[in-house]
Structure formats: C-alpha cells, structure tokens
Amino acid sequence: MDALIQQTAETLVGARSVVALTGAGISIESGIPPFRGPGGLWEKMDPMAVAHIDAFRRDPEKVWTLLLHGMQALLTTARPNDGHLGLARLEQWGYLRSVITQNVDGLHQAAGSRAVIEFHGTFAWQRCMDCGHRCETARVDLTKIPPRCPCGGIYRPDCVFFGEMIPPQHLVRSQQLVDGCDVLLVVGTSATVQPAAMMPLLAKENGAQVIEINPEPTPLTGRISNYLIQGGSGAVLNDILAGVAKLRAPS
Ligand code: APR
C-alpha cells in the first residue's frame, strides 16, 4: 500500500477529531462537472453572469436557464461515488467528526454522512424571493422558468451566490470544528474561494495535520498542507478505508 495512504490511515485511527473539507472534485466521479480546470463550468460560463446574486436579480430567467443547463447531471442522474461513501463510512466507524462541503449537490447526505455543513447552501431546496417560502427542488415545476412560488414570487436556489454572505451559523460552526480538529482532510477543492479556503489555514494554525486528496497540487500544497495524496478521491478514499479497516480489525 502506498506509504502516504498507510500514513493517513494510521493518522485517522489515532486522531482525536477529524474534519473533511470537500469541493466539486469529490463529485466529478458522480458526473457533476467542476467549476475550474478541465471541463469546468467556469471555462464555459462567466460565474459573474450565472452565479452572482446581482445577475440573478437582474434577469432571473436567464440565470435559471444557465443554471439548469449546468446542473443537469445534478438534477437527474448524480449518485454518491466512492469518495462520498468513503467519508460516510469513516463517520460511521467514528473516525470523522463532520464534513464541511462547498458543494450544493447533497451527495454527502445521500451517501449516508449525517454531520454535513453545506457551506454554500444546497440546490436541493428553493426559497421564494418574495415570501421566503422554502420548497424542495424536486417538488418545484422546473419546466416553467423562472419557477414561481404559489404566492407568485420567483424561487431562487437555497445556495450562496457570489456577492452573498455565508450563512453565519455555517461559518461559526465550521470555524469551531476546524479550530478543534487535529486532522483536516481537504478533498477535491482548488482552495481558491474564500472564506472556505481559509479553513485549512485555520487548521494549520491550530496545529492540525492538513492532508490533501486531489489529482493536482493546489495553492495549499507545500505551504499549508502536510502532504498531498495525488489521485482521484474515489480510489484514494477506497485505499484509505482499506488501510483503516486493517488497523481496526481485531488483531
Ligand atoms: N477527485 C478529487 N479531486 C478532483 C478530481 C477527482 N477525481 N478531479 C478534479 N479534482 C480537483 C481539481 O484538481 C480541483 O482542485 O477538484 C478541484 C475542483 O476545483 P473547483 O472546480 O474550483 O471546485 P471548488 O474548489 O469546490 O470551488 C469552490 O467555487 O465557484 C465556486 O461556489 C463554487 O463551491 C464552489 C467554489
């Protein structure tokens, strides 16, 4: 077994409090495109035109049309992959305290993770811009764009758009978890968007080990992270789980 995989398995089994920070990369193997890099949504669309709250307010119909195009896989076929399932299993075995995800796809919960902070909200719910009524996306008629609340107001995804604040309760809870962890797994994020990208720095400052899982280096690599396990999150987490299973098996 790869030395870093074995080292990570031993670290997880011996840790006091492990937290995972995940990004779009963990969902790529579920068919959901990332935002940056090869095949990234922001390579095809201007994020300020499709993911900024001012753009949504200016032309909700246009933004909804672009969103539906970009979110097709998420809305139809996306299922949890080995990366999501691996983190859920670590939680079930008692080796993972919580997932802080930047993703809005709900795949961590679908995989069985119970402690999940959706740092950028969720596409699984819609909120009326007029009366604030929340409704599950699955129960909203998306054939009519923009979708409307029974009150006539326009529904918006319960996600955090660019230009909006992270819900304070998510920010505070995430900082508490990161301040108190001794291991932060950073899985499938380019670590470029604040304030999520600040979490690894906070963890490092409190003396935690920061372990990246990503096919590519990121701005954290070699500066904040203790090391990078270079590979896809599904296969890497499968290997880590196998290592943890060996260590926890009765000797
Ligand atoms: N497994 C793990 N990571 C992968 C894989 C894979 N199979 N394939 C690619 N990656 C990595 C890429 O190398 C990259 O570092 O996933 C990362 C995806 O980066 P982004 O697309 O920037 O996604 P993310 O970091 O989640 O973006 C943060 O930006 O636009 C906003 O709100 C959006 O939440 C998002 C935020």
Side-chain angles (χ1 to χ4, degrees), residues 17-85:
S17 176
V18 179
V19 174
L21 172 69
T22 66
I26 199 169
S27 293
I28 288 175
E29 295 164 43
S30 296
I32 298 178
F35 295 96
R36 298 167 186 83
L41 280 179
W42 303 155
E43 311 290 315
K44 301 173 193 127
M45 293 189 257
D46 171 8
M48 295 305 124
V50 69
H52 197 289
I53 188 60
D54 293 345
F56 187 89
R57 286 198 182 106
R58 208 170 27 251
D59 189 344
E61 184 171 350
K62 178 185 169 200
V63 171
W64 259 109
T65 304
L66 290 168
L67 273 178
L68 288 181
H69 177 71
M71 293 282 189
Q72 206 45 46
L74 163 61
L75 284 166
T76 52
T77 55
R79 295 287 174 273
N81 65 59
D82 287 349
H84 304 103
L85 295 166

Side-chain angles (χ1 to χ4, degrees), residues 10 12 24 45 51 66 80 84 96 101 110 117 174 183 190 196 216 234 241:
E10 288 164 4
L12 293 177
M45 293 189 257
L66 290 168
H84 304 103
L96 181 68
T101 188
I117 296 175
S174 299
V183 179
S190 59
E216 303 295 332
L241 266 288

